[in-house]
Amino acid sequence: MQHVSFKYGGFMPKKPDSSQKTKRKILDSATELFAKKGFDGISTRDICKAAGVNISMISYYFGGKEELYSKVVSSIVENIIQYVMNNMGTKELPQSFEHLSKEEKIAALFKFLDMMMDYFYSDKISDSEIMIIFREQMTSGVPLNAEGYKVLKRLLASILGRDENDKEIIFRTITIVGQIHSAKILKQFSLKLMNQSGYSKQDIQMLKQIVMGQVKAILKDLGAV
């Protein structure tokens, strides 16, 4: 049933709640500014000016700048986790792959890598969000795609029959993650070298093939294939 309000003797449709739109504008503006200048480089006034909202709105919706930054970070994490779960057809991230055969584990590994590259190389994640991931990794030591990292680490360990906290498994995993991220982190530098404004579908396919080839070499080096 449509909600209505009574005015001037007649029924008038109630205006949609604009709070979600305002919160979205603040989050989008904050993401852009935090990416460009970092947490300490901007003020709540800067964010509100960019979003075109009253300065009291940050306190009203988020509590303050720290809480707003935490929301920006958590939103990036939630989007990554949701994308992984949707594409793996599960309501929670896999905790074990031991029920799969070795061939199925390897197939799952490459499917997972392909999925992650689709996410990071497309417009599903912005350059500003990538920059925040990079900043967080450098300052806190915790990657914002930590859940994806954990899935990849579990898969590699399971394929190789090793403990997932084995140092070589950890180093191999972060090397693969670094290869996936590098094309996005160094995007503008890469595009300048190629004299292009963006990655083409052919470029993305080539990047995928390079990463997949390097992962196959890792598995072969470790005797997994």
Side-chain angles (χ1 to χ4, degrees):
M1 178 183 294
Q2 184 181 31
H3 294 284
V4 296
S5 59
F6 189 75
K7 187 176 183 181
Y8 303 123
F11 287 97
M12 300 292 291
K14 186 178 180 180
K15 292 182 179 180
D17 186 0
S18 62
S19 62
Q20 290 304 313
K21 183 177 179 181
T22 300
K23 287 174 70 175
R24 186 73 260 164
K25 286 169 66 176
I26 293 172
L27 280 170
D28 289 345
S29 297
T31 300
E32 293 291 323
L33 291 173
F34 283 137
K36 290 178 181 178
K37 300 184 179 180
F39 179 82
D40 294 326
I42 61 169
S43 66
T44 53
R45 188 176 296 277
D46 295 327
I47 297 168
C48 289
K49 182 178 179 181
V53 301
N54 188 283
I55 193 169
S56 64
M57 291 296 97
I58 287 182
S59 296
Y60 180 75
Y61 287 117
F62 301 100
K65 190 171 78 164
E66 287 188 9
E67 292 85 353
L68 174 57
Y69 182 75
S70 293
K71 182 58 180 177
V72 168
V73 170
S74 65
S75 294
I76 297 172
V77 174
E78 288 164 9
N79 289 339
I80 295 172
I81 292 174
Q82 193 59 56
Y83 184 81
V84 171
M85 291 193 298
N86 288 345
N87 284 273
M88 295 185 79
T90 180
K91 293 183 178 180
E92 58 183 21
L93 296 177
Q95 299 301 309
S96 174
F97 296 94
E98 296 311 311
H99 61 289
L100 301 177
S101 68
K102 188 174 184 178
E103 290 73 22
E104 288 172 329
K105 292 174 186 176
I106 292 174
L109 171 64
F110 285 105
K111 179 181 178 180
F112 177 76
L113 290 172
D114 186 74
M115 173 188 67
M116 291 304 292
M117 285 186 281
D118 274 340
Y119 186 85
F120 280 97
Y121 297 164
S122 71
D123 58 2
K124 295 178 180 67
I125 185 167
S126 69
D127 291 343
S128 293
E129 289 171 322
I130 287 289
M131 182 58 70
I132 290 175
I133 288 177
F134 182 67
R135 284 183 186 275
E136 279 297 294
Q137 171 61 45
M138 294 296 292
T139 58
S140 71
V142 179
L144 290 196
N145 61 333
E147 295 305 318
Y149 164 81
K150 290 175 185 176
V151 172
L152 177 57
K153 184 160 67 82
R154 287 185 199 123
L155 262 172
L156 276 179
S158 186
I159 290 169
L160 299 169
R162 299 192 189 182
D163 187 281
E164 63 180 87
N165 294 315
D166 182 297
K167 281 189 176 181
E168 184 166 14
I169 295 296
I170 292 172
F171 286 143
R172 297 286 189 177
T173 303
I174 61 175
T175 297
I176 294 170
V177 170
Q179 290 168 345
I180 293 173
H181 286 178
S182 62
K184 191 77 175 186
I185 293 171
L186 298 175
K187 178 182 176 182
Q188 296 307 319
F189 177 64
S190 301
L191 293 175
K192 186 175 182 179
L193 289 176
M194 297 185 292
N195 195 29
Q196 294 178 192
S197 60
Y199 287 139
S200 67
K201 290 183 178 180
Q202 291 76 17
D203 293 333
I204 292 173
Q205 190 58 37
M206 185 182 297
L207 287 167
K208 284 185 176 184
Q209 289 173 351
I210 290 170
V211 173
M212 296 297 194
Q214 291 170 335
V215 174
K216 287 178 183 178
I218 288 173
L219 294 179
K220 184 176 181 181
D221 183 47
L222 295 173
V225 293

